[in-house]
Amino acid sequence: MILIIDDDSAVRSSLSFMLKRAGYEAQAVPGPREAMEVVRSVAPDLILMDMNFTLSTTGEEGLTLLKQVKIFRPETPVILMTAWGSIQLAVQGMQAGAFDFITKPWNNAALLQRIGTALELAGSFKETTQEQNETFDRRHIIGRSQGLMEVLNTIARIAKTNASVLITGESGTGKELIAEAIHINSQRARQPFVKVNLGGISQSLFESEMFGHKKGAFTDASSDRIGRFEMANKGTIFLDEIGDLDPSCQVKLLRVLQDQTFEVLGDSRPRKTDIRVVSATNADLRKMVSERTFREDLFYRINLITVKLPALRERREDIPLLARHFADRQAEANGLPRTEFSADAMQFLSRLPYPGNIRELKNLVERTILVNGKPILDAADFDAQYIRHEDQKVAEGVSLAGMTLDEIERQTILQALERHKGNLSQVATALGISRAALYRRLEKFGISV
């Protein structure tokens, strides 16, 4: 049963009619007192709750009711309803334990999808891990460490829902592979999986890239262009490096995710899109929210489920498996004989700090195989190709005394550029940041390459 709480009789009637047509049982009440009577006597499967009652617009009544509901029914998902101009109220509700929020007037299809996702998630966590693992496709994800298995168990539970997922972790930990695993194990597996590197899209091109444009929409628009959201329709869109998104673009993205509609540049007719959103970042979004560089409402919209990938140094037992996998792929791709590793080579690889994580290990293994061409590689072979990090910093002996944080950062980038002879991919990997983030820092400090 879905409980509707709203003091507007028209809203109650509209929602009840929509839910019953969709096959749900619905019960509607006008205010907090009636709602608590229902919640105390029965356990609703889901609650749709307005944030304001009587003439108040502060949302205090709604927040109070939400906290009371969560005391009696902590497992029941609550979806909040609020006006677009009062999204901050919904954000406070998410902090108080709400599952999701929608804005009035709502889009019926988007609301039904959110309701379905909430009910699926509420049920999915009751399934057994054994049942999930029997059908879960984990292609290209190598490892059996506890940290990795916890991640895989989580995405196995939520993959078949439409829940938005935020994947966090250091650069090079394999966030894109996890996003692909979510897609291929979802009900959208036969539909498009569209990847977007938001760190590589400038503010001026964001709308054209994401929403598309009509011929003549602006000076250089010589033909129609299909945007990423339209390409991803019915499938999954993967928003990589979402922490690099410009604040003005964050608002535009939020509106699409909120209503599942967008407008092509040069065409004012709104278009619907049915997408599942998976985002990834190596930034600390919570810190960015507190610093007001990332919108809190967008943060709650994209992280219904958060998956944190462990760094490679936190799953060292997987290093031999990954090294073997990369060596076999290299041999297959280049028509080379299979390369073996000596015991001391595996011990050497397992001890490294890997600030660049799996990407750094992959580069090291592939580079060593290609440079040496030996059937059996030992520790000395890998040591000769290993690009040192901490050791070199100590050797260079740069004094940090009296330097500001910006000066330290600039000096570190200059040292990395010198070590890697201006190879920006290697510099970004060594510093543990994306190429897009490196470009911004080069521009910030006036460093030319």
Side-chain angles (χ1 to χ4, degrees):
M1 182 267 289
I2 296 178
L3 177 62
I4 302 162
I5 313 170
D6 198 298
D7 61 339
D8 188 330
S9 59
V11 170
R12 295 199 301 273
S13 299
S14 176
L15 286 173
S16 297
F17 181 69
M18 180 195 73
L19 291 172
K20 286 173 182 175
R21 282 194 63 182
Y24 296 110
E25 179 188 350
Q27 181 176 349
V29 296
R33 182 178 58 80
E34 297 87 349
M36 289 310 299
E37 288 176 0
V38 175
V39 168
R40 284 191 179 96
S41 58
V42 297
D45 298 306
L46 181 138
I47 297 174
L48 280 172
M49 193 179 86
D50 189 22
M51 291 295 287
N52 291 307
F53 302 96
T54 64
L55 297 177
S56 171
T57 58
T58 64
E60 287 300 322
E61 291 175 300
L63 290 172
T64 301
L65 176 58
L66 172 62
K67 292 171 184 176
Q68 291 173 337
V69 166
K70 297 308 285 184
I71 290 172
F72 283 91
R73 304 295 178 189
E75 303 303 321
T76 298
V78 177
I79 297 179
L80 305 175
M81 298 183 290
T82 187
W84 175 262
S86 304
I87 285 186
Q88 188 57 38
L89 282 180
V91 168
Q92 289 177 274
M94 298 290 283
Q95 293 171 337
F99 174 83
D100 202 351
F101 66 91
I102 63 161
T103 55
K104 297 178 180 179
W106 62 84
N107 175 295
N108 279 356
L111 175 55
L112 285 172
Q113 186 185 84
R114 300 252 171 81
I115 290 171
T117 297
L119 294 173
E120 286 171 347
L121 276 178
S124 69
F125 284 93
K126 298 175 185 176
E127 298 174 6
T128 66
T129 302
Q130 182 178 358
E131 290 172 348
Q132 293 148 8
N133 288 342
E134 286 174 358
T135 58
F136 184 71
D137 184 346
R138 55 172 289 178
R139 69 184 75 168
H140 307 313
I141 299 178
I142 309 300
R144 51 174 180 248
S145 60
Q146 182 180 350
L148 179 64
M149 294 311 297
E150 288 175 357
V151 168
L152 295 180
N153 288 339
T154 297
I155 64 174
R157 287 197 296 269
I158 56 91
K160 293 192 182 301
T161 74
N162 280 308
S164 59
V165 182
L166 174 63
I167 306 169
T168 66
E170 296 177 8
S171 180
T173 48
K175 295 186 284 294
E176 184 176 319
L177 285 180
I178 295 297
E180 288 180 348
I182 292 171
H183 176 71
I184 63 178
N185 287 280
S186 73
Q187 297 173 351
R188 301 170 180 262
R190 297 181 181 275
Q191 302 300 328
F193 178 71
V194 177
K195 308 171 189 175
V196 187
N197 184 340
L198 294 177
I201 300 178
S202 66
Q203 179 182 348
S204 59
L205 294 177
F206 178 80
E207 287 185 275
S208 173
E209 185 73 26
M210 301 303 290
F211 310 143
H213 64 246
K214 302 291 287 183
K215 181 179 178 180
F218 48 88
T219 304
D220 296 326
S222 57
S223 61
D224 290 355
R225 178 189 179 95
I226 298 176
R228 301 299 184 93
F229 280 107
E230 191 168 350
M231 291 168 59
N233 191 37
K234 304 296 183 184
T236 303
I237 191 164
F238 175 48
L239 304 176
D240 198 9
E241 297 191 30
I242 196 166
D244 294 341
L245 194 58
D246 182 87
S248 65
C249 299
Q250 292 175 26
V251 181
K252 298 167 186 173
L253 177 61
L254 176 63
R255 284 194 175 272
V256 182
L257 302 187
Q258 172 71 22
D259 301 326
Q260 300 254 312
T261 60
F262 65 95
E263 290 183 6
V264 174
L265 282 176
D267 183 0
S268 59
R269 177 175 54 88
R271 302 191 185 188
K272 292 184 179 180
T273 182
D274 174 12
I275 52 171
R276 202 255 183 92
V277 180
V278 179
S279 310
T281 183
N282 57 13
D284 185 347
L285 290 191
R286 289 190 181 276
K287 182 180 179 183
M288 291 178 67
V289 167
S290 67
E291 294 172 347
R292 300 188 181 281
T293 56
F294 197 86
R295 291 183 65 97
E296 192 171 17
D297 42 13
L298 178 59
F299 174 69
Y300 282 114
R301 177 59 71 213
I302 63 173
N303 82 331
L304 207 54
I305 301 294
T306 300
V307 175
K308 186 179 188 306
L309 282 183
L312 186 56
R313 61 185 174 275
E314 298 168 355
R315 42 178 292 213
R316 291 189 181 276
E317 60 266 48
D318 290 339
I319 292 175
L321 297 173
L322 287 162
R324 180 73 269 157
H325 172 71
F326 294 139
D328 290 344
R329 279 182 56 185
Q330 180 78 344
E332 183 181 344
N334 294 286
L336 301 173
R338 191 173 193 265
T339 303
E340 301 295 339
F341 300 112
S342 67
D344 67 329
M346 281 301 188
Q347 289 176 358
F348 176 82
L349 290 175
S350 298
R351 290 196 305 266
L352 297 178
Y354 295 111
N357 291 292
I358 298 173
R359 189 182 295 127
E360 181 181 351
L361 172 62
K362 178 176 182 289
N363 290 344
L364 175 58
V365 170
E366 292 178 349
R367 184 168 61 250
T368 305
I369 289 174
L370 292 174
V371 168
N372 285 275
K374 293 165 59 177
I376 301 177
L377 296 173
D378 56 30
D381 298 320
F382 286 104
D383 191 26
Q385 298 302 320
Y386 177 57
I387 301 170
R388 277 169 166 70
H389 304 277
E390 295 303 323
D391 292 352
Q392 287 189 338
K393 289 178 185 177
V394 172
E396 286 160 354
V398 176
S399 172
L400 305 182
M403 295 176 68
T404 66
L405 189 59
D406 279 351
E407 289 169 343
I408 294 171
E409 187 174 12
R410 185 177 190 279
Q411 189 65 37
T412 303
I413 292 172
L414 288 171
Q415 291 171 4
L417 285 167
E418 185 177 349
R419 281 200 302 273
H420 301 294
K421 298 179 175 59
N423 185 313
L424 297 185
S425 292
Q426 291 182 9
V427 171
T429 298
L431 295 174
I433 59 177
S434 67
R435 280 177 65 99
L438 176 59
Y439 287 138
R440 284 194 298 278
R441 284 168 171 79
L442 292 175
E443 184 178 354
K444 172 185 176 181
F445 295 118
I447 301 172
S448 59
V449 180

